[in-house]
Amino acid sequence: GAGVSQSPSNKVTEKGKDVELRCDPISGHTALYWYRQSLGQGLEFLIYFQGNSAPDKSGLPSDRFSAERTGGSVSTLTIQRTQQEDSAVYLCASSLVGSGTGANVLTFGAGSRLTVL
Amino acid sequence: GESVGLHLPTLSVQEGDNSIINCAYSNSASDYFIWYKQESGKGPQFIIDIRSNMDKRQGQRVTVLLNKTVKHLSLQIAATQPGDSAVYFCAETGLNTGFQKLVFGTGTRLLVSP
C-alpha cells in the first residue's frame, strides 16, 4: 500500500477485556515495529520484526502483550486483560531494511488509540 | 493517533521567525540521528537525519546540527510557517543495535502564530 495502515483508529474497551490492533505495513518493507505513545510521553519501543528472524520483544511491558506477524506482512498486537495504564496510542512503523545506507527510516501509521475504562 | 499530551516543552514563535528545537541524547554509542514531526492525529513523519560523522546537514528550510561532545542535537526551521506547528521528536540509533531500534526523545511542541 501507499502507507502504513492501522486499525482500528480508536478502540474503547473495558478493563479486563482483550484487544487486538492490526498493522498493514508498506508493501515490500521487511521490518515492522510497534511503539506505544502515552499521554505526555515520548514513543516507547515495544517489539520489532525483521524478515524471518526471531522478533525483538525486549520492549513489551508485560506478558499480557504479544504480537505476531503473519507471512512477513500484516502484524497484530494483542493485549490481554487490559488495564487502565494500557491506554495509549499504539503506533506501527515499517522500514525497508537493507537500503544500502545503513540508515533506518521508519514510516509510521496514524496509530490506534486505545482507551481502557 | 493523537499527538502527545499537555506537558511537553513548548516553543512558541511568530510566523516567519526561525525556530530552534533542541534535544539531548544519552547514548554515546549512537551514531545516527533523526528528527520526526508529528501533527495532531497523525503518526510521526521523517524530516531529516544525520550521521555521527557529520556536524551539520541541511534540507529544505531545515537544518540539523549535531554536537557529539555534549551529546546535543538541534533542529533549525527557517521562516517558520503555521503548517510547521506540530510535536517534534529526535531519535537515535546505532551500530550496536544494527540501526534497528530507534530511541525517541519526549518531544517538543512547536506553536506557530500567524
Side-chain angles (χ1 to χ4, degrees):
Chain A
V4 177
S5 178
Q6 292 188 245
S7 61
S9 55
N10 282 284
K11 175 71 176 179
V12 179
T13 191
E14 293 180 347
K15 178 182 174 181
K17 300 285 189 181
D18 297 352
V19 297
E20 286 190 349
L21 307 176
R22 176 187 168 104
C23 173
D24 279 280
I26 292 173
S27 179
H29 279 193
T30 60
L32 186 147
Y33 304 76
W34 285 97
Y35 281 82
R36 179 169 69 175
Q37 189 173 33
S38 302
L39 201 63
Q41 304 291 322
L43 278 73
E44 175 190 6
F45 168 80
L46 296 177
I47 189 169
Y48 158 67
F49 296 90
Q50 169 52 45
N52 295 321
S53 301
D56 178 350
K57 304 179 182 179
S58 60
L60 294 178
S62 77
D63 58 8
R64 296 187 296 104
F65 287 73
S66 63
E68 62 177 23
R69 188 179 185 190
T70 54
S73 182
V74 171
S75 177
T76 302
L77 177 68
T78 301
I79 309 172
Q80 295 177 309
R81 304 180 303 281
T82 52
Q83 303 294 311
Q84 288 183 330
E85 60 263 29
D86 299 335
S87 296
V89 175
Y90 289 82
L91 290 161
C92 177
S94 68
S95 69
L96 180 60
V97 180
S99 64
T101 66
N104 191 19
V105 177
L106 271 61
T107 301
F108 283 86
S112 292
R113 184 174 191 173
L114 175 65
T115 303
V116 182
L117 302 177
Chain B
E2 180 82 9
S3 185
V4 292
L6 303 175
H7 303 293
L8 289 172
T10 299
L11 174 65
S12 296
V13 301
Q14 295 287 321
E15 182 177 2
D17 287 351
N18 295 332
S19 302
I20 300 176
I21 299 171
N22 296 304
C23 176
Y25 64 94
S26 56
N27 188 353
S28 57
S30 292
D31 48 17
Y32 178 63
F33 305 88
I34 311 169
W35 281 99
Y36 280 89
K37 171 186 180 183
Q38 187 175 29
E39 297 174 281
S40 182
K42 298 182 180 179
Q45 294 177 286
F46 172 87
I47 303 175
I48 190 167
D49 57 0
I50 188 168
R51 298 192 68 104
S52 59
N53 61 353
M54 304 171 68
D55 54 18
K56 180 179 180 179
R57 191 171 186 209
Q58 289 185 294
Q60 187 175 20
R61 283 201 307 119
V62 294
T63 301
V64 55
L65 300 177
L66 174 63
N67 185 331
K68 295 181 290 293
T69 302
V70 296
K71 292 189 284 188
H72 184 269
L73 195 66
S74 69
L75 177 70
Q76 300 179 355
I77 304 173
T80 314
Q81 302 168 359
D84 295 327
S85 294
V87 177
Y88 290 81
F89 294 96
C90 65
E92 59 182 295
T93 188
L95 187 61
N96 58 333
T97 62
F99 298 100
Q100 299 310 318
K101 189 183 297 184
L102 291 180
V103 176
F104 284 82
T106 54
T108 297
R109 186 185 304 277
L110 176 65
L111 296 176
V112 183
S113 303

